Amino acid sequence: MTELVNLPKKRKGESTNWWEEDELDDFSIQKWKSLEHHGVIFPPDYIPHSIPLFYDGEAISLTPEQEEVATWWSSVIGTEWETKEIFRKNFEHNFLKLFTSDHKIKSLDKCDFKKIAEYVEAQREIKKARLPEEKKQEREAKQKIDEEIGYGIVDGKREKISNIIVEPPGLFRGRGQHPKAGYIKARLRPEDITINVGKSNLVPKCPVPGHAWKNVVHNSYVTWLAYYKDPELSFSNVKYVYLAASSKFKGLNDKLKYEKARKLRGLIDGIRSDYFDKIKKDNQVNKQLGTALYLIDKLALRVGNEKTEDEADTVGCCSLKVSNISFKENYQITLDFLGKDSMRYFNTVSIDPNVHENLKKFVEGKGQDEELFDLITTSSLNEYLKTFMKSLSAKVFRTYNASVTLQMLLAKFNNKKMQVEEKVQFYTDANREVAILCNHQKSTPKNFEVQMEKMQDKLKDKLESLSLLETHLKGFLSKKIAQNADKKLPTSEENTRKAIVRAKTSVKNMEIKLKMKDDNKTIALGTSKINYMDPRITVAWCKNNEVPIEKVFPKALRSKFIWAMYTEPAWEF
């Protein structure tokens, strides 16, 4: 294994925090001068189990390639994927291609994967039943690999790499109702990987004997360390290997993104005045530009890009069709379409009368499948925005609106005497409002009812404990403490009162958790935290109101936004 260069030692008084540097390079030109890393890791090769597939009652021996794909299918049996029409249809089409034209296997419906599925389940149980010592050894082995090759050296500084292991082979699922769900993802080889390192740095050694990297480049104007694309799936996206979220590359990009949104705050009044002026113009292109930007600004819509036939039929503002809009009384419209990840956007909202009039004219004489905004594109809209600020795009409006909304909602908090859990609930309610604005939805988890039942059982136990303590306190007050009283109960009136206070707090906290879980069962709170709400708003609010940051930001987010953790309590977006 290629040795990495020795890390430079920190000199006395020297800062190792990039956000503390006097001048922050915006990475607009060259991203780095020196880049060294170990390349990527490949998943282990498939080990055949030789369990047959049954077809029409007959045992069929499979080749290792056929068996691996059959095993993938066996792992989805009993899940929603097994019965998902497009997934099943595409899998059948690709699975049958693994057999010769004269092979007896002709239909997925006649295939019985039961024996393979039993093997998969047995292996899963064996893995669960591993001894603690075995699990510990596995963790230590992974940590050792991570320490050895999970880091790179960028301009002399050691940085964590996020996705060092390339994607394993399997069944493609895609996001939402993807038309290619069920296709087979190929096993990647070194010949599929392009490596990016410094021109004067060592090229990482290929970890697979007898193979070589597809290409080695020295591009200091990008931040990726490697990239690859599934050689069998023409529709798949290029996948990049980047440094971890806590790295300077990622952190600086995040900070610059939020600073751009903050800069928009100072320009927003002028931009709104301009697009309202366009809304009233006679020129139809200007009318569409102004109207589209109004919707993006008011409703936090995604701008929308053109889709290929291989992608899910999702839309944004600029790609709305006539069928996606309907008109109501009192200047109301209803928008109904599939947004990103095939999540339905369904919203009835009151809009400006001029916008309402424009939209009605835009649909006149058009068929249901024709575009609402047929005279503009995403590019032309963004070019219009660049007349206000060089790097401004429609996407910045979502970041701006999410952050401004969070700041406004959190500013309403005025009760620092609340319990921490109550404060967290207040924050979560604000987070949910932002998620709803951005249409960040999710499906209700499969085990949601089971989880709720367990939490309700815990609440019931806590209420019973509280009732027992209150009965115990009455005994002290009436001087009639039962001789056979539970030995776990407090032995004095003072301690009983203290226990009751703790029990009431515990009950209240559990009730809050239950309500939050139910309220947020179909709302994806994490997306807005990760991508749209400036983290400094959250950090400043937590410091102001004595809420531990770990209550609202999990470890991964605290690491991603390490630069924001130093925000002063008085900071505002």
Side-chain angles (χ1 to χ4, degrees), residues 49 51-53 70-78 82 112-125:
H49 48 63
I51 297 173
L53 167 70
T71 302
W72 296 337
W73 179 260
S74 299
S75 67
V76 304
I77 291 176
E82 182 189 10
D112 183 356
F113 298 85
K114 184 179 179 181
K115 292 295 182 183
I116 300 177
E118 288 174 353
Y119 168 80
V120 170
E121 182 59 30
Q123 292 301 305
R124 191 178 288 125
E125 291 302 318

Side-chain angles (χ1 to χ4, degrees), residues 442-455 514-522:
K442 66 179 181 181
S443 300
T444 303
K446 293 179 187 177
N447 59 346
F448 176 76
E449 295 299 333
V450 175
Q451 292 176 344
M452 286 293 286
E453 190 175 331
K454 287 181 179 178
M455 292 179 72
L514 267 166
K515 185 178 185 303
M516 286 196 298
K517 192 167 188 69
D518 188 52
D519 288 345
N520 302 316
K521 61 186 175 185
T522 59

Side-chain angles (χ1 to χ4, degrees), residues 45 281 393:
D45 287 334
K281 292 286 186 183
S393 67

Side-chain angles (χ1 to χ4, degrees), residues 524-536:
L525 299 176
T527 307
S528 47
K529 282 184 183 178
I530 295 168
N531 296 314
Y532 293 101
M533 302 186 315
D534 191 319
R536 293 171 292 187

Side-chain angles (χ1 to χ4, degrees), residues 107-152:
S107 167
L108 181 62
D109 291 335
K110 293 183 179 182
C111 292
D112 183 356
F113 298 85
K114 184 179 179 181
K115 292 295 182 183
I116 300 177
E118 288 174 353
Y119 168 80
V120 170
E121 182 59 30
Q123 292 301 305
R124 191 178 288 125
E125 291 302 318
I126 290 172
K127 189 173 181 178
K128 284 182 184 178
R130 287 170 300 164
L131 296 172
E133 187 59 33
E134 291 179 278
K135 294 179 182 178
K136 182 181 177 183
Q137 289 175 356
E138 286 184 16
R139 283 196 305 271
E140 290 174 347
K142 287 180 181 178
Q143 288 171 357
K144 184 179 179 181
I145 292 174
D146 187 52
E147 285 296 322
E148 288 178 348
I149 62 179
Y151 290 82

Side-chain angles (χ1 to χ4, degrees), residues 418-429 432 452 455 459 504-520:
M418 276 186 177
Q419 296 293 325
V420 170
E421 291 299 331
E422 293 176 293
K423 294 176 182 178
V424 172
Q425 182 184 16
F426 182 90
Y427 175 87
T428 302
D429 289 343
R432 184 172 62 255
M452 286 293 286
M455 292 179 72
L459 176 59
K504 285 183 176 179
T505 300
S506 183
V507 166
K508 190 170 187 178
N509 288 344
M510 182 55 71
E511 288 173 339
I512 290 172
K513 288 179 180 178
L514 267 166
K515 185 178 185 303
M516 286 196 298
K517 192 167 188 69
D518 188 52
D519 288 345
N520 302 316

Side-chain angles (χ1 to χ4, degrees), residues 459-472:
L459 176 59
K460 184 179 178 181
D461 291 341
K462 291 178 183 295
L463 286 169
E464 288 177 355
S465 297
L466 175 59
S467 177
L468 190 61
L469 284 166
E470 289 174 337
T471 301
H472 189 57

Side-chain angles (χ1 to χ4, degrees), residues 4 35-39 151-153 161 195-197 202-204 225-226:
L4 288 176
L35 174 63
E36 188 171 359
H37 56 91
H38 285 301
Y151 290 82
I153 303 295
I161 301 173
I195 297 291
N196 188 24
V197 292
L202 293 172
V203 175
L225 283 61

